[in-house]
Amino acid sequence: MAENHYSKPDYWSRKAFSEGYPARSVYKLKEIDEKFSMIKKHFSILDLGAAPGSWTTYILRKLDGKGRLVSVDLSPLASGVKGENLTFFQGDLYDENIRNEVFRLGPYNLVVSDAAPATTGNRTVDTARSEGLVELVLFYGEEVLVPGGNFVVKIFQGGGEQLLMKKMRNVFSSVKAFKPEACRQESFETYLIGIGKK
C-alpha cells in the first residue's frame, strides 16, 4: 500500500510535541537555519506571525539567553513560550502602533515569518493574500534589517513568488526559494530566503 501523505506530518507533529514545541513548523525553521546559518547567539531577531510560538521557541533556544527576540502575532503565544530576552506584541502587522514598537526595538540581524493568511480554500484568493502578506513582511525587513541582515518568509506558491524574488534581489545580495523537508508534500507553501541585506 502506498505511503499515506500524512504519515510524515504525523512524525513531525509527534517529534515537535516530544521536544516541547507548540507546532511541527519548528522543523522548517530548523532546516533553514542549518542550511543557511541564520541564527547567531548575539543576534537581534524579529519573528512576524509568531503564534503559537514554535519558531520563537526555537530561536530562544538558539540564542541561549543572549541576543534579543521580538515576536508579533494577532494571536497570543502558547503559555509555555517565554524568555528573558523575548518581547511579544499581540496585534496586527498593519497597525501603526505595532509597527512603531517593532521599529523602536530594532534594528535586527534577522527577520523571519511563518505567517499565513486566513485561508478560504480558493487557491487564487489564498495565494493573493499570501503574496500581500509577504509584501508586508518584506517592507518590515527593508526598514529594520541591518546591512548584511538576513530574511525568511513563507509564501503560497502560485506565480507571484518570481516577482517577489525579483523585488527581493533589489534588497538582498542573494535570494533563494527553499522548501524544507518538514513541509507537507501536498502543501503549496515554500520559503523565500534573502541573504545579506544591501
Side-chain angles (χ1 to χ4, degrees):
M1 187 172 169
E3 186 181 2
N4 184 301
H5 280 307
Y6 285 90
S7 59
K8 185 172 277 188
D10 288 345
Y11 162 76
W12 293 117
S13 298
R14 287 196 305 272
K15 184 174 169 64
F17 181 76
S18 72
E19 294 182 358
Y21 292 105
R24 62 193 296 286
S25 58
V26 62
Y27 301 108
K28 301 169 192 176
L29 178 61
K30 185 174 189 286
E31 189 176 343
I32 290 167
D33 180 36
E34 288 172 352
K35 185 173 180 64
F36 299 102
S37 299
M38 289 285 172
I39 301 167
K40 311 291 184 196
K41 282 190 178 180
H42 65 280
F43 271 10
S44 181
I45 299 174
L46 177 61
D47 182 4
L48 300 174
S54 284
W55 282 30
T56 288
T57 301
Y58 177 81
I59 292 165
L60 286 171
R61 291 180 183 181
K62 285 282 299 221
L63 290 177
D64 194 25
K66 302 172 180 67
R68 188 160 49 91
L69 173 60
V70 176
S71 295
V72 185
D73 201 286
L74 278 168
S75 302
L77 296 176
S79 58
V81 182
K82 295 182 174 75
E84 292 282 325
N85 52 339
L86 169 65
T87 302
F88 175 67
F89 296 111
Q90 186 172 345
D92 194 322
L93 293 175
Y94 288 97
D95 186 297
E96 186 179 355
N97 294 324
I98 293 291
R99 190 167 65 242
N100 289 341
E101 288 296 322
V102 167
F103 286 10
R104 181 178 62 82
L105 293 175
Y108 304 90
N109 304 96
L110 172 65
V111 172
V112 299
S113 177
D114 195 38
T119 53
T120 64
N122 180 318
R123 184 158 177 175
T124 304
V125 172
D126 294 343
T127 300
R129 287 182 178 178
S130 173
E131 288 167 13
L133 200 47
V134 172
E135 290 268 11
L136 177 63
V137 174
L138 183 56
F139 163 74
Y140 273 85
E142 289 182 81
E143 293 295 318
V144 303
L145 279 169
V146 298
N150 296 333
F151 180 84
V152 179
V153 66
K154 177 162 72 182
I155 187 169
F156 294 164
Q157 294 168 280
E161 62 268 25
Q162 291 303 321
L163 201 57
L164 287 162
M165 289 176 74
K166 185 177 179 182
K167 185 173 181 181
M168 285 174 64
R169 287 190 183 98
N170 294 324
V171 182
F172 300 97
S173 299
S174 174
V175 175
K176 304 174 190 302
F178 180 71
K179 185 163 185 170
E181 186 186 346
C183 290
R184 291 186 171 96
Q185 292 308 304
E186 68 275 22
S187 164
F188 58 102
E189 68 180 21
T190 193
Y191 291 81
L192 304 183
I193 315 289
I195 307 287
K197 183 173 181 281
K198 296 176 181 176

